Amino acid sequence: MTGGRAGRRGGGRAARQAARLAAHVEGVPYLRRTTTAFEVLSEEGLSLIEDTADTILERVGIDFREAPDALDLLRAAGADVDGERVRFPRGLARHLVRATAPAAFTQVARNPDRSVLFGGAATIFAPAYGSPFVHDLDRGRRYGTIEDFRNFVKLAYASPWIHHSGGTVCEPVDLPVHTRHYDMVYAHVRWSDKPFMGSVTHPQRARDTVEMARIVFGASFLEQNTVLFSLINANSPLVWDATMLGAARAYAEANQAVMMTPFVLAGAMSPATVAGTCAQTLAEALAGMAYVQLVRPGAPVVLGSFASSMSMQSGAPTFGMPEPALVLYTMAALARRVGVPFRSGGALTASKIPDAQAAYESANTMQPTMLAGVNFVLHAAGWLEGGLAMGYEKLVLDADQLGMWHAFAKGVDLSPNGRALDAFLTNEPGTHFLGHPHTLANVETAFYRSPLADDSSFEQWEEEGSLDAAQRANAHWKRMLSEYEPPPLDDALDEELREWIERQKASFPGADG
Amino acid sequence: MTGGRAGRRGGGRAARQAARLAAHVEGVPYLRRTTTAFEVLSEEGLSLIEDTADTILERVGIDFREAPDALDLLRAAGADVDGERVRFPRGLARHLVRATAPAAFTQVARNPDRSVLFGGAATIFAPAYGSPFVHDLDRGRRYGTIEDFRNFVKLAYASPWIHHSGGTVCEPVDLPVHTRHYDMVYAHVRWSDKPFMGSVTHPQRARDTVEMARIVFGASFLEQNTVLFSLINANSPLVWDATMLGAARAYAEANQAVMMTPFVLAGAMSPATVAGTCAQTLAEALAGMAYVQLVRPGAPVVLGSFASSMSMQSGAPTFGMPEPALVLYTMAALARRVGVPFRSGGALTASKIPDAQAAYESANTMQPTMLAGVNFVLHAAGWLEGGLAMGYEKLVLDADQLGMWHAFAKGVDLSPNGRALDAFLTNEPGTHFLGHPHTLANVETAFYRSPLADDSSFEQWEEEGSLDAAQRANAHWKRMLSEYEPPPLDDALDEELREWIERQKASFPGADG
């Protein structure tokens, strides 16, 4: 059952691994799905949830807190504003979104070959986002630093399967809170040429990000093109707050993309049911996207959904569970009916380490992510501990999984070569295909090659140290970092950007640079 | 992001685990899927593969080796027999199957409440099958024994999510080859009351299994009902051999069910393409099932498919990869078009240990298994090392995943309670739902409860020993075995069975009992 060992190359494990890595160098700017989405509800079922969302918007309403501009815009568009509570006549929020929000858009990368398409059959993978801690096998779990941040930007750049540089790939806790956004955005520009995300922790930081993007891309180019994409979270249940709305406004005014994402722990931040969680998520997202379209009609928006289930024993969030998978499938279908790109999913887990729990939960989230047809996958690699930690080993293990999805997306080749009829007609029953010309002609491309999965014999595996997947991943990310070469960046541009950042930092009271 | 800790029960980890276990006691005899199957090919694409299979059957043919009865039956049915090579006029094999094979059937269990339905929306989970080795964290990897065999039967019995006792849950290598089938079948009858599989390693052993089933169920009951289900593997490419055909005949003559399963390492035992592998699998399965229908028209058959991809570096089989997932989706659709139940998938992995690789690969096989609509899932729990080892920790980790599939199969509840409109109408924006009556009313059933996933805080996890999932699973299977209670078995029946076995064993030359 372990099969033959034909075709083994000389040179031992290291050489084999190098050969596998080499086979991976060619990436694509984003993945194109070739299958139709898996549906868990009928049109009637989806309509029932939409009806519930409409009732929430009409009768309960959404709070837009400390955001007088939002109240003014929404009132003028026909909403019923009572204090900070905004109620939408049935269908209004959806109408405002559908009237002007683009069904698809491109985020231009510093290297235009890496620009990504949001919408339709495109799927974009980005690393995990927002963790204060980082984890690796050597040093365990600790607070993230700007060095970790740069390392994760470099690893995402070096992976052919991660399309997007992401945003807060970890919190650089060693840097001052009020200026670290400069260093984060700079790191994405300097150490990668893939598209990236902007700061959202304060409206001014969003404006700073736009300013840096103007330096990198040119002010007039930015006005015409989406070069930034940023994560705006609702404060569920049914609240959008001033910080997030202010950041959203800063980006939308500059025609830059935002994803309006209800971030829900079901049972606490939404009802403890799938349909209830979906209805609330849809209501919140529609209200948030309507606001963005009123700020600047036609500004690119993404409907986001992040839903975890709750341990009813401890109240802690749980990941990779069946109920959030049902939410994901349902929300993807609801987003298609709104007509905007959809963000959800990722390699989510509650596990503290890259063990079997982490892998089961990550795969059980990535499967619905892909089969539901998600357009932007934040947290596609690296996520540990419910998002509290970014893992080095987890990042490369997850990236390997993303490579597999690229192979899956090729679909079934039905060409004469794919059906292999000539091979059958020239091969006797009982004779293996190993040495057949058809096999030799397909050998390089037939199957996905994992650089991390061990398929050797038990004896060979034992001889090589009985390593588990996390230990192999440890060697892998170190090799990736040691082989990392930065993408070219114009010296004058780099200097201009750095000088601008220094001036900004110097303007803060007590700034230490 | 780790959420609140409301609702935590007293008594520490052990009490919490006990409570979680208690919540799991209620099983169901089999799972009923509520979603339509995910499709990777159009009707036209499936037809192209069927056309290729027809051409293989017509022009290449299938060898039925050392099986003169098969050659006679197939010749009489209109096939072209040349030596041991059987060529089928286009459509003949499919016609022979469709004419008499049942679309669905029930395998009756010793406890009729545990009888399982094959076909339609039913999915049956069975443990892994056929490994010479076993693995656990304490003793590592070693040859399996009858004690291991009994332990796995007991664990599968104790799991509410494993519906079927399986067959050769591991090879009891400590018992003589020619008589160990008696001990295996007896263990399934004695230590479980779930349905089980029969011996196939020799036609006489199949007849022995039928004889034992006659003792257990009664001869006339057996004639009218399917109480045995057995795995018949093709010898791919394009060969059925005498041992397997003889076993299939023994079962079919007694009206007992067989699954005719091409077991393929793509690139060696089939061409290195998805469509080619599917065409061959379909051709082999149709030929095998046609034979069974000629032996006894109407005998229950299952179309089986087991396909792994091959490492093009080492020639070793690889699992959890994207190409076998495409084969699985395609074969499930092809089996639906034949109109017989379908077997495929499982918690497959090449990993030697229950690590992240094992979990990614298992989940990446179980997801297509479930979304494709597989009816019988052999290897649903326990599989390690490409099937060479059965793992104690892996078994309970996989069984937990099977529990999640039961929750997924409930689908989205669209009732008023599911949509939670009353909850929204009585809860202010910004107010958590934790203490809301709707949450309290749903708390027990809202989300799947994993007995193995850790969702505690990092600090608590560290305090409890920083255990990984495999270590928690180690404690879990030991607790399950210590709490195991055998199902009732009539003493007279037990004695009759044991005496019969002793007589059979004594009849072997040099028998030691």
Side-chain angles (χ1 to χ4, degrees):
Chain A
M1 212 177 277
T2 53
R5 293 283 160 178
R8 167 143 292 179
R9 302 178 187 199
R13 184 167 191 91
R16 296 199 310 275
Q17 283 177 331
R20 283 179 224 173
L21 272 177
H24 277 178
V25 167
E26 292 306 319
V28 289
Y30 53 88
L31 179 148
R32 277 200 167 275
R33 299 185 310 282
T34 51
T35 45
T36 54
F38 183 70
E39 302 276 359
V40 298
L41 284 181
S42 65
E43 300 282 312
E44 293 71 22
L46 296 170
S47 294
L48 270 175
I49 294 176
E50 288 169 344
D51 186 65
T52 307
D54 274 344
T55 303
I56 294 170
L57 287 167
E58 180 190 33
R59 295 181 56 189
V60 185
I62 310 276
D63 280 3
F64 284 75
R65 294 197 177 160
E66 301 175 52
D69 73 305
L71 301 178
D72 290 345
L73 284 170
L74 291 162
R75 187 187 295 110
D80 165 28
V81 177
D82 174 13
E84 294 187 314
R85 181 77 41 89
V86 180
R87 294 187 180 84
F88 295 79
R90 294 186 90 78
L92 175 63
R94 175 179 297 263
H95 169 75
L96 291 172
V97 175
R98 289 182 59 89
T100 54
F105 64 89
T106 295
Q107 181 186 3
V108 179
R110 191 162 74 72
N111 176 348
D113 291 343
R114 303 194 191 278
S115 297
V116 288
L117 177 66
F118 283 73
T123 293
I124 303 159
F125 295 135
Y129 182 107
S131 65
F133 298 102
V134 298
H135 177 275
D136 68 62
L137 289 196
D138 305 304
R139 298 169 65 193
R141 185 229 212 204
R142 56 202 153 79
Y143 278 105
T145 66
I146 189 67
E147 190 193 341
D148 292 309
F149 190 102
R150 291 183 193 123
N151 284 342
F152 289 124
V153 170
K154 291 174 183 179
L155 289 169
Y157 170 72
S159 168
W161 312 126
I162 299 177
H163 310 115
H164 202 279
S165 197
T168 308
V169 288
C170 70
E171 276 291 339
V173 176
D174 55 337
L175 297 184
V177 170
H178 53 288
T179 59
R180 67 172 68 142
H181 62 289
Y182 299 120
D183 302 281
M184 292 195 274
V185 172
Y186 176 76
H188 283 298
V189 173
R190 180 69 191 88
W191 306 112
S192 182
D193 62 6
K194 294 182 179 180
F196 61 93
M197 298 168 72
S199 178
V200 296
T201 50
H202 190 286
Q204 182 56 45
R205 293 175 196 154
R207 287 189 287 271
D208 286 343
T209 307
V210 172
E211 209 46 56
M212 289 176 74
R214 285 201 178 97
I215 294 170
V216 173
F217 291 92
S220 64
F221 187 87
L222 181 134
E223 180 58 28
Q224 300 298 321
N225 294 278
T226 298
V227 301
L228 292 170
F229 173 62
S230 302
L231 169 59
I232 309 295
N233 279 342
N235 196 348
S236 303
L238 305 178
V239 176
W240 287 98
D241 70 28
T243 299
M244 284 287 163
L245 291 173
R249 178 173 197 115
Y251 287 117
E253 283 177 342
N255 202 26
Q256 301 305 300
V258 289
M259 53 181 165
M260 305 304 277
T261 302
F263 177 97
V264 168
L265 169 58
M269 297 157 76
S270 75
T273 60
V274 169
T277 297
C278 290
Q280 178 184 314
T281 298
L282 181 61
E284 292 171 342
L286 283 173
M289 292 191 296
Y291 165 68
V292 170
Q293 291 307 304
L294 293 171
V295 167
R296 175 156 175 165
V301 286
V302 171
L303 192 162
S305 168
F306 182 103
S308 66
S309 48
M310 186 171 75
S311 162
M312 287 303 187
Q313 288 86 354
S314 68
T318 53
F319 296 93
M321 295 294 149
E323 298 84 5
L326 292 168
V327 171
L328 206 166
Y329 283 119
T330 303
M331 286 309 307
L334 292 169
R336 278 191 289 277
R337 287 158 67 105
V338 175
V340 292
F342 178 60
R343 169 258 161 145
S344 194
L348 310 182
T349 180
S351 182
K352 320 301 175 280
I353 50 176
D355 66 346
Q357 178 185 346
Y360 280 122
E361 292 179 349
S362 296
N364 286 342
T365 311
M366 277 306 295
Q367 288 272 352
T369 299
M370 295 309 298
L371 300 192
V374 171
N375 298 113
F376 184 78
V377 188
L378 196 61
H379 315 309
W383 167 289
L384 281 175
E385 203 190 325
L388 286 178
M390 177 71 158
Y392 280 85
E393 288 82 15
K394 182 70 165 24
L395 183 91
V396 296
L397 285 164
D398 287 337
D400 186 25
Q401 297 292 309
L402 302 181
M404 293 181 203
W405 283 111
H406 284 78
F408 184 85
K410 289 182 192 166
V412 182
D413 172 12
L414 292 172
S415 71
N417 178 66
R419 283 179 286 147
L421 191 53
D422 286 349
F424 288 116
L425 294 175
T426 53
N427 197 69
E428 287 288 296
T431 306
H432 273 206
F433 285 90
L434 269 177
H436 192 280
H438 181 270
T439 306
L440 299 178
N442 286 278
V443 71
E444 286 299 327
T445 54
F447 303 120
Y448 178 74
R449 302 181 183 195
S450 166
L452 291 170
D454 182 277
D455 54 43
S456 58
S457 70
F458 182 85
E459 292 71 23
Q460 187 183 350
W461 171 77
E462 212 172 26
E463 197 180 297
E464 287 171 353
S466 305
L467 301 183
D468 68 17
Q471 290 170 307
R472 291 191 297 274
N474 180 270
H476 190 75
W477 68 257
K478 289 174 181 169
R479 192 166 51 243
M480 284 177 75
L481 279 185
S482 75
E483 292 171 359
Y484 167 83
E485 288 183 26
L489 178 66
D490 179 76
D491 283 344
L493 170 60
D494 189 23
E495 197 174 315
E496 184 184 351
L497 202 52
R498 284 153 56 134
E499 281 176 2
W500 184 87
I501 291 172
E502 288 313 307
R503 281 200 305 280
Q504 303 303 313
K505 285 187 175 179
S507 72
F508 282 88
D512 56 4
Chain B
M1 212 177 277
T2 52
R5 295 282 159 178
R8 166 144 293 180
R9 302 179 186 197
R13 183 166 191 89
R16 295 200 309 275
Q17 284 178 331
R20 284 178 224 173
L21 271 177
H24 278 178
V25 167
E26 291 307 319
V28 290
Y30 53 88
L31 180 148
R32 276 199 168 273
R33 299 185 310 281
T34 52
T35 46
T36 53
F38 181 71
E39 302 275 359
V40 298
L41 284 181
S42 64
E43 300 283 311
E44 293 72 21
L46 296 170
S47 294
L48 270 176
I49 293 176
E50 289 169 343
D51 186 64
T52 307
D54 273 344
T55 303
I56 294 169
L57 288 167
E58 180 190 32
R59 295 180 56 189
V60 185
I62 310 275
D63 279 4
F64 285 75
R65 294 196 177 161
E66 301 174 52
D69 72 305
L71 301 179
D72 290 345
L73 285 169
L74 290 162
R75 186 186 296 108
D80 165 28
V81 177
D82 174 14
E84 294 186 315
R85 182 77 41 88
V86 180
R87 294 187 179 85
F88 295 78
R90 294 187 90 79
L92 175 63
R94 174 178 298 262
H95 169 74
L96 290 173
V97 176
R98 288 182 60 89
T100 54
F105 63 90
T106 295
Q107 181 186 3
V108 179
R110 191 162 73 75
N111 176 348
D113 291 343
R114 303 195 192 275
S115 297
V116 289
L117 177 66
F118 283 72
T123 294
I124 304 158
F125 295 136
Y129 182 107
S131 64
F133 298 102
V134 299
H135 176 274
D136 69 61
L137 289 196
D138 305 304
R139 299 170 64 193
R141 184 229 213 203
R142 56 202 154 80
Y143 279 105
T145 66
I146 190 67
E147 190 192 343
D148 292 309
F149 190 102
R150 291 183 193 121
N151 284 342
F152 288 124
V153 169
K154 291 174 181 177
L155 289 168
Y157 170 72
S159 169
W161 312 126
I162 299 176
H163 310 116
H164 202 279
S165 197
T168 308
V169 289
C170 69
E171 275 292 340
V173 176
D174 55 336
L175 297 184
V177 170
H178 53 287
T179 59
R180 67 172 68 141
H181 63 289
Y182 298 120
D183 302 279
M184 293 194 275
V185 171
Y186 176 76
H188 283 297
V189 173
R190 180 68 191 87
W191 306 112
S192 182
D193 62 6
K194 294 183 178 180
F196 61 93
M197 297 167 72
S199 178
V200 296
T201 50
H202 190 286
Q204 182 55 45
R205 294 175 196 153
R207 287 188 288 271
D208 286 343
T209 307
V210 172
E211 211 45 56
M212 290 176 74
R214 284 201 178 99
I215 295 170
V216 174
F217 291 92
S220 63
F221 187 87
L222 181 133
E223 179 59 26
Q224 300 297 321
N225 294 278
T226 297
V227 302
L228 292 170
F229 173 62
S230 301
L231 168 59
I232 308 295
N233 279 341
N235 196 349
S236 302
L238 306 180
V239 176
W240 287 99
D241 69 28
T243 299
M244 285 287 163
L245 291 173
R249 178 171 199 116
Y251 287 118
E253 282 176 343
N255 202 26
Q256 302 304 299
V258 288
M259 54 180 164
M260 304 304 277
T261 303
F263 177 97
V264 168
L265 169 57
M269 296 157 75
S270 74
T273 61
V274 170
T277 298
C278 291
Q280 178 184 317
T281 298
L282 181 60
E284 292 171 342
L286 283 174
M289 293 191 296
Y291 164 68
V292 170
Q293 290 308 304
L294 293 172
V295 167
R296 176 156 173 165
V301 286
V302 171
L303 192 162
S305 167
F306 182 103
S308 66
S309 48
M310 185 172 75
S311 162
M312 286 303 185
Q313 286 86 354
S314 68
T318 55
F319 296 93
M321 295 294 148
E323 298 83 6
L326 291 169
V327 170
L328 205 167
Y329 283 120
T330 302
M331 286 309 307
L334 292 169
R336 278 190 289 277
R337 287 158 66 104
V338 175
V340 292
F342 179 59
R343 169 260 161 143
S344 194
L348 309 183
T349 180
S351 182
K352 321 300 175 279
I353 50 175
D355 65 346
Q357 178 185 347
Y360 280 122
E361 292 179 348
S362 295
N364 286 341
T365 310
M366 278 306 294
Q367 288 272 351
T369 299
M370 295 309 297
L371 300 192
V374 170
N375 298 113
F376 183 78
V377 188
L378 195 61
H379 315 309
W383 168 288
L384 281 174
E385 204 189 324
L388 286 178
M390 177 70 158
Y392 279 84
E393 289 82 15
K394 183 68 165 27
L395 183 90
V396 295
L397 286 164
D398 287 336
D400 186 24
Q401 297 292 309
L402 301 180
M404 294 181 202
W405 282 112
H406 284 78
F408 185 86
K410 289 182 192 166
V412 181
D413 172 13
L414 292 171
S415 71
N417 178 67
R419 282 179 288 147
L421 192 53
D422 286 349
F424 288 116
L425 293 174
T426 53
N427 196 69
E428 287 288 295
T431 305
H432 273 205
F433 285 89
L434 268 176
H436 193 281
H438 180 270
T439 306
L440 300 176
N442 286 278
V443 71
E444 286 299 328
T445 55
F447 303 120
Y448 178 75
R449 302 180 183 195
S450 166
L452 292 171
D454 181 277
D455 54 44
S456 58
S457 71
F458 182 85
E459 292 70 23
Q460 188 183 347
W461 172 78
E462 211 171 26
E463 197 179 298
E464 288 171 353
S466 304
L467 301 183
D468 68 18
Q471 291 170 307
R472 292 191 296 274
N474 180 269
H476 191 75
W477 68 256
K478 289 174 181 169
R479 192 166 52 242
M480 284 177 74
L481 279 186
S482 76
E483 293 172 358
Y484 165 83
E485 289 182 25
L489 177 67
D490 180 77
D491 283 342
L493 169 61
D494 189 24
E495 197 173 316
E496 184 184 351
L497 202 52
R498 285 152 56 133
E499 282 175 2
W500 184 87
I501 291 172
E502 289 314 306
R503 281 200 305 278
Q504 303 304 312
K505 285 186 176 180
S507 71
F508 283 87
D512 58 3

